[in-house]
Amino acid sequence: MSRKMRGNVWLGAAGLVVNSKGQWLVVRKKYGGLKGLWSIPAGFVEGNETADRAAIREVKEETGIICRLEGMIGFRTGVLNGEISDNMAIFLLTLAKEDQVLIPQLKEISEVAWKSPFELKEDKDVSVMIHEIAEKVIESGFDEIENINPGDQFGYTSYKLFFKK
C-alpha cells in the first residue's frame, strides 16, 4: 500500500514471537529506515482485517512461521514530520508448533533468526524498538518507555512506546 493510499493516519501491527527457549523471532529488513537492522516482523493493517490478525499474517509472510495470539503487549505512536500519525499495535505471539522452518520473504527480508533478548540488547544492528524492549524485559518486564529517539532517518517529531508489565 502506497504512502498516499494510507492517508495521514497509519496503523501497523507487529508480532513479538517467543519460542520455548525464550528466544525472539527477528527479521533483517532490506528497505526503509530499518534496512540492515534486526526488527520484529511487522507491516500495515489491511482494510479487511483486525490488527492482531495483521500481526499474525505479517509474521507468516516475512518468516514462514505460523503463530497463535497471546495478547497485546504494546503500542507505539508517533508523528512523522509533524503531519502523519504513525501507530503500531504490538502483539505477543507463540508458535502454533515448535519445529517450524524459517523461510525469509526475500523481497523484503534478508535474514530471519531466533535470538535471545540478551543477544539483542548487546547487538548494535537492532532497531531502537527491539533494543528498548529487550532492555526493559531483562530489567523488569513491560511498561511505558519514554524519551526515545528511534533515529533521525524516520523524521518523528513525537515518539512513545507502551509495553505491558
Side-chain angles (χ1 to χ4, degrees):
M1 182 185 305
S2 74
R3 195 173 230 210
K4 190 173 186 170
M5 288 177 64
R6 284 192 297 268
N8 63 353
V9 178
W10 297 354
L11 179 59
L16 176 60
V17 183
V18 181
N19 68 17
S20 62
K21 298 175 186 172
Q23 297 169 314
W24 297 0
L25 181 62
V26 291
V27 297
R28 200 181 291 267
K29 302 276 187 179
K30 285 184 168 182
Y31 64 93
L34 295 175
K35 183 177 181 177
L37 300 178
W38 290 110
S39 63
I40 56 178
F44 289 101
V45 178
E46 295 177 359
N48 64 348
E49 66 187 348
T50 59
D52 57 309
R53 294 306 309 159
I56 291 168
R57 174 184 52 78
E58 286 291 341
V59 168
K60 185 173 187 223
E61 285 177 5
E62 293 184 2
T63 70
I65 298 297
I66 299 168
C67 296
R68 288 190 300 267
L69 176 69
E70 291 296 314
M72 185 173 175
I73 57 170
F75 193 79
R76 186 211 69 211
T77 186
V79 178
L80 294 168
N81 302 312
E83 63 187 45
I84 297 172
S85 177
D86 182 23
N87 305 283
M88 181 176 290
I90 302 140
F91 296 91
L92 179 62
L93 306 175
T94 54
L95 296 167
K97 58 181 192 167
E98 199 64 33
D99 58 348
Q100 298 179 60
V101 177
L102 298 175
I103 305 168
Q105 177 197 48
L106 296 177
K107 180 180 170 195
E108 297 180 8
I109 307 300
S110 63
E111 198 175 349
V112 177
W114 290 104
K115 294 186 176 272
S116 76
F118 297 98
E119 288 176 273
L120 293 166
K121 182 180 177 286
E122 299 303 320
D123 193 328
K124 65 179 178 40
D125 291 330
V126 300
S127 70
V128 169
M129 183 188 293
I130 286 238
H131 183 267
E132 294 294 331
I133 297 169
E135 190 170 275
K136 191 73 171 175
V137 166
I138 290 166
E139 289 175 7
S140 62
F142 296 114
D143 207 347
E144 180 178 350
I145 307 169
E146 297 182 82
N147 301 319
I148 301 167
N149 178 356
D152 295 336
Q153 74 271 26
F154 295 106
Y156 280 106
T157 51
S158 176
Y159 188 89
K160 290 183 182 179
L161 286 173
F162 297 89
F163 282 91
K164 186 175 180 182
K165 194 168 192 173

